[in-house]
Amino acid sequence: MLAGRRLAARGLAIRTHVGDGSCPRVDGPPADVRAVEHRLAELRARYPRAIIDRYHSAVPSVAASALVCAGASLIGDVTVREGAQVWYGCVLRADINAIVLGANSNLQDGTVVHLGDDDATVVGDEVVVGHRAVLHGCTIEDACLIGMNATVLDGVTIGRGSIVGAGAVVPAGLHVPRNSLVLGLPGKVVNAGTLDKEGFIRALAAKYARLAHNHMHG
């Protein structure tokens, strides 16, 4: 308790809940388990080389035009919208909250997406997420670039058109203004509101969309 107060005093309040209410125990499968398993089987048939599973009654929802590569894992309340891509070895685990990947956005190889008790992970449209990034309970607005090995923590909002540099760790609760650059460990906002890279990021997202098309149809 004392440690928690010290963290809060330093601006590092813990957002994770550990009581029973944050993750109630279930005693068996959901009442509609047959319907749930049917939806799951349909999705597995579409992406036979991916790992797709339910969390209790929550089953991923994936648009027909989306790419889910071999070895990617989608578990629970995951929504992948039109033209989005989940590349090789990504993990999206949506159990205590939800994950949304917006249209024509991509999670590149090895990215891990989870969430917080009070914080879903929501990725907007035309977002580029570099290899081995970690997104945890955060909101990434449209046309952002998250660099390779970057970590974005609970309660963070990355404003539209922003870039998080490779290897940066964006601390919990930080609000990054639109068109900003975040660098460092801990990540700090530089060039707040003055970055002009949204067009480049959208073009990069379009390049990945073409690459996904080639993987699916070439």
Side-chain angles (χ1 to χ4, degrees):
M1 197 67 166
L2 179 58
R5 287 199 295 270
R6 286 174 177 166
L7 287 170
R10 295 168 58 193
L12 297 173
I14 297 172
R15 300 175 72 92
T16 299
H17 303 227
V18 295
D20 292 345
S22 68
C23 182
R25 181 172 175 172
V26 300
D27 296 320
D32 60 343
V33 65
R34 290 186 179 179
V36 170
E37 291 288 353
H38 179 71
R39 299 203 314 271
L40 192 59
E42 289 181 334
L43 199 54
R44 286 171 172 168
R46 282 172 52 196
Y47 301 105
R49 298 188 297 162
I51 300 168
I52 300 174
D53 213 342
R54 66 181 178 89
Y55 176 72
H56 201 53
S57 61
V59 175
S61 173
V62 182
S65 58
L67 171 69
V68 179
C69 288
S73 299
L74 279 64
I75 296 98
D77 190 5
V78 176
T79 300
V80 180
R81 293 189 170 144
E82 294 79 5
Q85 308 119 53
V86 182
W87 290 91
Y88 298 92
C90 292
V91 177
L92 290 73
R93 176 164 60 92
D95 35 29
I96 59 175
N97 214 313
I99 294 170
V100 177
L101 180 61
N104 300 310
S105 291
N106 64 76
L107 303 176
Q108 295 173 21
D109 315 69
T111 294
V112 174
V113 185
H114 195 229
L115 24 77
D117 296 284
D118 300 323
D119 302 300
T121 297
V122 180
V123 178
D125 298 341
E126 296 181 284
V127 171
V128 177
V129 180
H131 314 288
R132 296 180 63 190
V134 176
L135 307 180
H136 200 280
C138 55
T139 297
I140 313 295
E141 295 184 354
D142 295 351
C144 287
L145 171 60
I146 309 300
M148 293 181 287
N149 279 305
T151 299
V152 185
L153 294 175
D154 300 55
V156 168
T157 298
I158 306 295
R160 174 175 163 176
S162 294
I163 294 176
V164 176
V169 176
V170 186
L174 185 69
H175 177 79
V176 176
R178 178 175 175 174
N179 297 328
S180 295
L181 176 64
V182 181
L183 298 174
L185 199 168
K188 296 182 179 179
V189 177
V190 297
N191 297 336
T194 64
L195 195 68
D196 185 17
K197 294 294 184 182
E198 186 173 329
F200 168 80
I201 296 168
R202 291 185 187 277
L204 183 57
K207 175 183 176 181
Y208 262 86
R210 295 192 301 272
L211 188 60
H213 173 87
N214 294 347
H215 275 258
M216 294 170 71
H217 304 290

PDB file of all heavy atoms in Angstrom, residues 4-25:
ATOM      1  N   GLY A   4       2.442   1.716  -3.294  1.00  0.00           N
ATOM      2  CA  GLY A   4       1.486   2.254  -4.253  1.00  0.00           C
ATOM      3  C   GLY A   4       1.330   3.756  -4.113  1.00  0.00           C
ATOM      4  O   GLY A   4       1.261   4.488  -5.096  1.00  0.00           O
ATOM      5  N   ARG A   5       1.306   4.266  -2.835  1.00  0.00           N
ATOM      6  CA  ARG A   5       1.196   5.708  -2.618  1.00  0.00           C
ATOM      7  C   ARG A   5       2.436   6.429  -3.123  1.00  0.00           C
ATOM      8  O   ARG A   5       2.367   7.522  -3.675  1.00  0.00           O
ATOM      9  CB  ARG A   5       0.958   5.989  -1.129  1.00  0.00           C
ATOM     10  CG  ARG A   5      -0.450   5.627  -0.645  1.00  0.00           C
ATOM     11  CD  ARG A   5      -0.773   6.323   0.657  1.00  0.00           C
ATOM     12  NE  ARG A   5       0.090   5.861   1.754  1.00  0.00           N
ATOM     13  CZ  ARG A   5      -0.203   4.831   2.545  1.00  0.00           C
ATOM     14  NH1 ARG A   5      -1.311   4.141   2.345  1.00  0.00           N
ATOM     15  NH2 ARG A   5       0.610   4.491   3.518  1.00  0.00           N
ATOM     16  N   ARG A   6       3.602   5.805  -2.920  1.00  0.00           N
ATOM     17  CA  ARG A   6       4.837   6.415  -3.409  1.00  0.00           C
ATOM     18  C   ARG A   6       4.841   6.511  -4.929  1.00  0.00           C
ATOM     19  O   ARG A   6       5.241   7.522  -5.503  1.00  0.00           O
ATOM     20  CB  ARG A   6       6.040   5.596  -2.933  1.00  0.00           C
ATOM     21  CG  ARG A   6       6.355   5.779  -1.446  1.00  0.00           C
ATOM     22  CD  ARG A   6       7.448   4.833  -1.014  1.00  0.00           C
ATOM     23  NE  ARG A   6       7.795   5.045   0.386  1.00  0.00           N
ATOM     24  CZ  ARG A   6       8.524   4.185   1.092  1.00  0.00           C
ATOM     25  NH1 ARG A   6       8.967   3.067   0.532  1.00  0.00           N
ATOM     26  NH2 ARG A   6       8.817   4.446   2.353  1.00  0.00           N
ATOM     27  N   LEU A   7       4.383   5.443  -5.584  1.00  0.00           N
ATOM     28  CA  LEU A   7       4.307   5.471  -7.041  1.00  0.00           C
ATOM     29  C   LEU A   7       3.352   6.547  -7.515  1.00  0.00           C
ATOM     30  O   LEU A   7       3.636   7.280  -8.466  1.00  0.00           O
ATOM     31  CB  LEU A   7       3.882   4.099  -7.574  1.00  0.00           C
ATOM     32  CG  LEU A   7       4.929   2.992  -7.506  1.00  0.00           C
ATOM     33  CD1 LEU A   7       4.284   1.652  -7.838  1.00  0.00           C
ATOM     34  CD2 LEU A   7       6.079   3.268  -8.448  1.00  0.00           C
ATOM     35  N   ALA A   8       2.188   6.654  -6.853  1.00  0.00           N
ATOM     36  CA  ALA A   8       1.214   7.668  -7.243  1.00  0.00           C
ATOM     37  C   ALA A   8       1.788   9.067  -7.075  1.00  0.00           C
ATOM     38  O   ALA A   8       1.569   9.951  -7.901  1.00  0.00           O
ATOM     39  CB  ALA A   8      -0.060   7.506  -6.413  1.00  0.00           C
ATOM     40  N   ALA A   9       2.538   9.280  -5.993  1.00  0.00           N
ATOM     41  CA  ALA A   9       3.130  10.587  -5.749  1.00  0.00           C
ATOM     42  C   ALA A   9       4.132  10.953  -6.827  1.00  0.00           C
ATOM     43  O   ALA A   9       4.347  12.120  -7.128  1.00  0.00           O
ATOM     44  CB  ALA A   9       3.804  10.601  -4.379  1.00  0.00           C
ATOM     45  N   ARG A  10       4.736   9.968  -7.447  1.00  0.00           N
ATOM     46  CA  ARG A  10       5.705  10.205  -8.519  1.00  0.00           C
ATOM     47  C   ARG A  10       5.049  10.205  -9.900  1.00  0.00           C
ATOM     48  O   ARG A  10       5.730  10.204 -10.919  1.00  0.00           O
ATOM     49  CB  ARG A  10       6.793   9.124  -8.470  1.00  0.00           C
ATOM     50  CG  ARG A  10       7.647   9.171  -7.225  1.00  0.00           C
ATOM     51  CD  ARG A  10       8.498   7.923  -7.094  1.00  0.00           C
ATOM     52  NE  ARG A  10       9.362   7.744  -8.250  1.00  0.00           N
ATOM     53  CZ  ARG A  10      10.021   6.611  -8.508  1.00  0.00           C
ATOM     54  NH1 ARG A  10       9.903   5.580  -7.687  1.00  0.00           N
ATOM     55  NH2 ARG A  10      10.794   6.525  -9.561  1.00  0.00           N
ATOM     56  N   GLY A  11       3.731  10.162  -9.934  1.00  0.00           N
ATOM     57  CA  GLY A  11       3.033  10.163 -11.217  1.00  0.00           C
ATOM     58  C   GLY A  11       3.039   8.812 -11.897  1.00  0.00           C
ATOM     59  O   GLY A  11       2.874   8.724 -13.103  1.00  0.00           O
ATOM     60  N   LEU A  12       3.227   7.730 -11.114  1.00  0.00           N
ATOM     61  CA  LEU A  12       3.300   6.388 -11.679  1.00  0.00           C
ATOM     62  C   LEU A  12       2.205   5.504 -11.098  1.00  0.00           C
ATOM     63  O   LEU A  12       2.439   4.349 -10.754  1.00  0.00           O
ATOM     64  CB  LEU A  12       4.685   5.774 -11.383  1.00  0.00           C
ATOM     65  CG  LEU A  12       5.877   6.493 -12.011  1.00  0.00           C
ATOM     66  CD1 LEU A  12       7.175   5.899 -11.503  1.00  0.00           C
ATOM     67  CD2 LEU A  12       5.838   6.394 -13.526  1.00  0.00           C
ATOM     68  N   ALA A  13       1.016   6.058 -10.958  1.00  0.00           N
ATOM     69  CA  ALA A  13      -0.092   5.300 -10.384  1.00  0.00           C
ATOM     70  C   ALA A  13      -0.348   4.033 -11.193  1.00  0.00           C
ATOM     71  O   ALA A  13      -0.371   4.062 -12.424  1.00  0.00           O
ATOM     72  CB  ALA A  13      -1.352   6.164 -10.345  1.00  0.00           C
ATOM     73  N   ILE A  14      -0.531   2.922 -10.498  1.00  0.00           N
ATOM     74  CA  ILE A  14      -0.752   1.637 -11.158  1.00  0.00           C
ATOM     75  C   ILE A  14      -2.183   1.564 -11.668  1.00  0.00           C
ATOM     76  O   ILE A  14      -3.138   1.770 -10.921  1.00  0.00           O
ATOM     77  CB  ILE A  14      -0.458   0.485 -10.173  1.00  0.00           C
ATOM     78  CG1 ILE A  14       1.016   0.522  -9.764  1.00  0.00           C
ATOM     79  CG2 ILE A  14      -0.813  -0.857 -10.791  1.00  0.00           C
ATOM     80  CD1 ILE A  14       1.373  -0.441  -8.663  1.00  0.00           C
ATOM     81  N   ARG A  15      -2.361   1.238 -12.962  1.00  0.00           N
ATOM     82  CA  ARG A  15      -3.683   1.177 -13.570  1.00  0.00           C
ATOM     83  C   ARG A  15      -4.267  -0.228 -13.534  1.00  0.00           C
ATOM     84  O   ARG A  15      -5.445  -0.421 -13.816  1.00  0.00           O
ATOM     85  CB  ARG A  15      -3.605   1.679 -15.022  1.00  0.00           C
ATOM     86  CG  ARG A  15      -3.120   3.100 -15.159  1.00  0.00           C
ATOM     87  CD  ARG A  15      -2.957   3.493 -16.617  1.00  0.00           C
ATOM     88  NE  ARG A  15      -4.234   3.671 -17.286  1.00  0.00           N
ATOM     89  CZ  ARG A  15      -4.884   4.830 -17.392  1.00  0.00           C
ATOM     90  NH1 ARG A  15      -4.376   5.928 -16.847  1.00  0.00           N
ATOM     91  NH2 ARG A  15      -6.026   4.906 -18.032  1.00  0.00           N
ATOM     92  N   THR A  16      -3.444  -1.222 -13.220  1.00  0.00           N
ATOM     93  CA  THR A  16      -3.906  -2.601 -13.227  1.00  0.00           C
ATOM     94  C   THR A  16      -4.688  -2.925 -11.953  1.00  0.00           C
ATOM     95  O   THR A  16      -4.240  -2.620 -10.850  1.00  0.00           O
ATOM     96  CB  THR A  16      -2.711  -3.570 -13.339  1.00  0.00           C
ATOM     97  OG1 THR A  16      -2.030  -3.307 -14.567  1.00  0.00           O
ATOM     98  CG2 THR A  16      -3.177  -5.015 -13.320  1.00  0.00           C
ATOM     99  N   HIS A  17      -5.848  -3.550 -12.102  1.00  0.00           N
ATOM    100  CA  HIS A  17      -6.653  -3.999 -10.975  1.00  0.00           C
ATOM    101  C   HIS A  17      -6.304  -5.460 -10.683  1.00  0.00           C
ATOM    102  O   HIS A  17      -6.128  -6.252 -11.609  1.00  0.00           O
ATOM    103  CB  HIS A  17      -8.143  -3.906 -11.297  1.00  0.00           C
ATOM    104  CG  HIS A  17      -8.597  -2.536 -11.687  1.00  0.00           C
ATOM    105  ND1 HIS A  17      -9.716  -1.951 -11.173  1.00  0.00           N
ATOM    106  CD2 HIS A  17      -8.069  -1.625 -12.562  1.00  0.00           C
ATOM    107  CE1 HIS A  17      -9.882  -0.732 -11.699  1.00  0.00           C
ATOM    108  NE2 HIS A  17      -8.887  -0.536 -12.549  1.00  0.00           N
ATOM    109  N   VAL A  18      -6.234  -5.815  -9.411  1.00  0.00           N
ATOM    110  CA  VAL A  18      -5.879  -7.194  -9.069  1.00  0.00           C
ATOM    111  C   VAL A  18      -6.979  -7.917  -8.292  1.00  0.00           C
ATOM    112  O   VAL A  18      -6.859  -9.112  -8.006  1.00  0.00           O
ATOM    113  CB  VAL A  18      -4.552  -7.246  -8.277  1.00  0.00           C
ATOM    114  CG1 VAL A  18      -3.406  -6.759  -9.147  1.00  0.00           C
ATOM    115  CG2 VAL A  18      -4.635  -6.427  -6.997  1.00  0.00           C
ATOM    116  N   GLY A  19      -8.069  -7.249  -7.945  1.00  0.00           N
ATOM    117  CA  GLY A  19      -9.163  -7.890  -7.220  1.00  0.00           C
ATOM    118  C   GLY A  19      -9.948  -8.852  -8.094  1.00  0.00           C
ATOM    119  O   GLY A  19      -9.833  -8.863  -9.316  1.00  0.00           O
ATOM    120  N   ASP A  20     -10.796  -9.662  -7.442  1.00  0.00           N
ATOM    121  CA  ASP A  20     -11.599 -10.657  -8.165  1.00  0.00           C
ATOM    122  C   ASP A  20     -12.492 -10.017  -9.218  1.00  0.00           C
ATOM    123  O   ASP A  20     -12.774 -10.615 -10.252  1.00  0.00           O
ATOM    124  CB  ASP A  20     -12.452 -11.465  -7.188  1.00  0.00           C
ATOM    125  CG  ASP A  20     -11.619 -12.367  -6.285  1.00  0.00           C
ATOM    126  OD1 ASP A  20     -10.432 -12.576  -6.607  1.00  0.00           O
ATOM    127  OD2 ASP A  20     -12.149 -12.844  -5.275  1.00  0.00           O
ATOM    128  N   GLY A  21     -12.952  -8.778  -8.943  1.00  0.00           N
ATOM    129  CA  GLY A  21     -13.858  -8.124  -9.879  1.00  0.00           C
ATOM    130  C   GLY A  21     -13.226  -7.812 -11.215  1.00  0.00           C
ATOM    131  O   GLY A  21     -13.928  -7.663 -12.217  1.00  0.00           O
ATOM    132  N   SER A  22     -11.901  -7.707 -11.261  1.00  0.00           N
ATOM    133  CA  SER A  22     -11.233  -7.372 -12.510  1.00  0.00           C
ATOM    134  C   SER A  22     -11.137  -8.561 -13.451  1.00  0.00           C
ATOM    135  O   SER A  22     -10.967  -8.410 -14.653  1.00  0.00           O
ATOM    136  CB  SER A  22      -9.824  -6.838 -12.232  1.00  0.00           C
ATOM    137  OG  SER A  22      -8.996  -7.861 -11.725  1.00  0.00           O
ATOM    138  N   CYS A  23     -11.234  -9.758 -12.889  1.00  0.00           N
ATOM    139  CA  CYS A  23     -11.157 -10.976 -13.704  1.00  0.00           C
ATOM    140  C   CYS A  23     -11.945 -12.073 -13.000  1.00  0.00           C
ATOM    141  O   CYS A  23     -11.363 -12.964 -12.378  1.00  0.00           O
ATOM    142  CB  CYS A  23      -9.699 -11.392 -13.908  1.00  0.00           C
ATOM    143  SG  CYS A  23      -9.510 -12.856 -14.957  1.00  0.00           S
ATOM    144  N   PRO A  24     -13.288 -12.015 -13.059  1.00  0.00           N
ATOM    145  CA  PRO A  24     -14.090 -13.006 -12.351  1.00  0.00           C
ATOM    146  C   PRO A  24     -13.851 -14.417 -12.881  1.00  0.00           C
ATOM    147  O   PRO A  24     -13.702 -14.623 -14.088  1.00  0.00           O
ATOM    148  CB  PRO A  24     -15.531 -12.552 -12.605  1.00  0.00           C
ATOM    149  CG  PRO A  24     -15.458 -11.675 -13.811  1.00  0.00           C
ATOM    150  CD  PRO A  24     -14.103 -11.044 -13.802  1.00  0.00           C
ATOM    151  N   ARG A  25     -13.801 -15.349 -11.970  1.00  0.00           N
ATOM    152  CA  ARG A  25     -13.581 -16.749 -12.344  1.00  0.00           C
ATOM    153  C   ARG A  25     -14.854 -17.347 -12.927  1.00  0.00           C
ATOM    154  O   ARG A  25     -15.953 -17.103 -12.421  1.00  0.00           O
ATOM    155  CB  ARG A  25     -13.148 -17.532 -11.103  1.00  0.00           C
ATOM    156  CG  ARG A  25     -12.870 -18.984 -11.356  1.00  0.00           C
ATOM    157  CD  ARG A  25     -12.274 -19.632 -10.127  1.00  0.00           C
ATOM    158  NE  ARG A  25     -12.089 -21.067 -10.302  1.00  0.00           N
ATOM    159  CZ  ARG A  25     -11.441 -21.835  -9.437  1.00  0.00           C
ATOM    160  NH1 ARG A  25     -10.923 -21.298  -8.334  1.00  0.00           N
ATOM    161  NH2 ARG A  25     -11.310 -23.120  -9.648  1.00  0.00           N
TER     162      ARG A  25
END
